[in-house]
């Protein structure tokens, strides 16, 4: 049986926070926004409606849990959720904490401004906070 | 008890196709893309994670049903789903059928190109097709 593997573009753009029962939880390396991505660990799935009903329910539970954790940690004005996948075909669900003073507000973030690198200490701090807060939905932190 | 009402911006930008058990189903008046919007008929809800679990399950069932119907009718390259709401605070979930020759591909549609009016006959045809195909999840066509 083939192991589930991340699409190379997601592997390049993100850092693995850990895994829920269904989905891998990634942090995008763009420091412009607190930006996490859920990837259901199912091979060859491109659309949410291709998941079976139980996986759809797990996905929305995990998504809402992640959105709540990000809201608690970052106190955004709005969460932006999106499953686009025009460039990266592996099903992935963006979760972006948005603020009225962020680089793209009130527009969607995709293509708005160039990605910004984290300072190493800021990235380590954000990863540690998220891994510590993401308790539930079977979350296992990556090590 | 107050009746559920659409946000004025959604009312202006869309046409009501009908109602699922939880969500109203709208067609956006921008002819650039087959573009439907689900609005859960719950007052003062801005985020998916503010819905209770049963409503979250209903939303993902209705969303997947709508995405399947749009895929059957329009045969897109990719469905784009998004809950943004930076400008319109009422929770709404975009469903956009995307094609490699559409006006914004492969970028997200928001802000990409100006909205395009439908020809009246094309709009009537699209509405009739969608209303006819959206059987299930308690769908009741608007009249």
């Amino acid at each position: 049986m083939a192991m589930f593997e991340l699409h190379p573009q997601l592997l390049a753009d993100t850092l693995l926070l850990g895994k829920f029962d269904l989905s891998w939880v990634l942090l995008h390396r763009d420091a412009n926004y607190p930006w996490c991505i859920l990837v259901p660990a199912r091979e060859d799935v491109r659309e949410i409606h291709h998941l079976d009903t139980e996986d759809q329910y797990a996905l929305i539970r995990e998504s809402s849990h992640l959105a709540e954790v990000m809201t608690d940690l970052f106190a955004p004005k709005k969460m932006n959720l999106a499953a686009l996948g025009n460039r990266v075909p592996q099903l992935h669900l963006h979760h972006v904490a948005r603020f009225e003073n962020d680089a793209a507000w009130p527009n969607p973030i995709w293509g708005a401004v160039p990605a910004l690198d984290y300072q190493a200490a800021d990235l380590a701090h954000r990863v540690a906070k998220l891994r510590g807060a993401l308790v539930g939905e079977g979350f296992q932190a990556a090590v």
Side-chain angles (χ1 to χ4, degrees), chain A:
Chain A
M1 193 172 72
M3 292 277 288
F4 177 76
E5 291 185 359
L6 276 185
H7 186 282
Q9 191 65 52
L10 292 172
L11 200 60
D13 291 344
T14 70
L15 189 152
L16 181 65
L17 295 173
K19 300 177 182 180
F20 290 132
D21 287 332
L22 173 65
S23 306
W24 293 22
V25 192
L26 312 174
L27 176 68
H28 201 289
R29 293 181 182 278
D30 181 353
N32 280 305
Y33 326 90
W35 178 356
C36 295
I37 299 176
L38 288 185
V39 182
R42 297 287 184 259
E43 291 189 64
D44 300 325
V45 172
R46 302 178 67 141
E47 302 279 4
I48 292 173
H49 69 266
H50 292 163
L51 296 171
D52 69 27
T53 303
E54 287 310 308
D55 281 354
Q56 289 181 23
Y57 289 173
L59 178 60
I60 202 163
R61 283 199 313 272
E62 293 173 357
S63 169
S64 289
H65 178 56
L66 175 59
E68 281 174 5
V69 166
M70 293 177 73
T71 298
D72 289 346
L73 289 181
F74 305 118
K77 174 75 174 174
K78 188 72 185 67
M79 288 300 300
N80 283 183
L81 272 60
L84 304 174
N86 303 336
R87 290 191 174 88
V88 174
Q90 186 174 62
L91 177 60
H92 59 288
L93 184 54
H94 299 281
H95 295 69
V96 189
R98 301 299 309 276
F99 303 86
E100 286 170 297
N101 64 350
D102 74 29
W105 184 268
N107 298 315
I109 64 165
W110 299 275
V113 299
L116 184 70
D117 284 339
Y118 276 93
Q119 298 293 318
D122 294 342
L123 182 60
H125 180 67
R126 179 154 290 177
V127 166
K129 275 178 66 174
L130 281 161
R131 284 184 178 152
L134 281 168
V135 179
E137 298 297 339
F139 184 75
Q140 300 279 343
V143 286

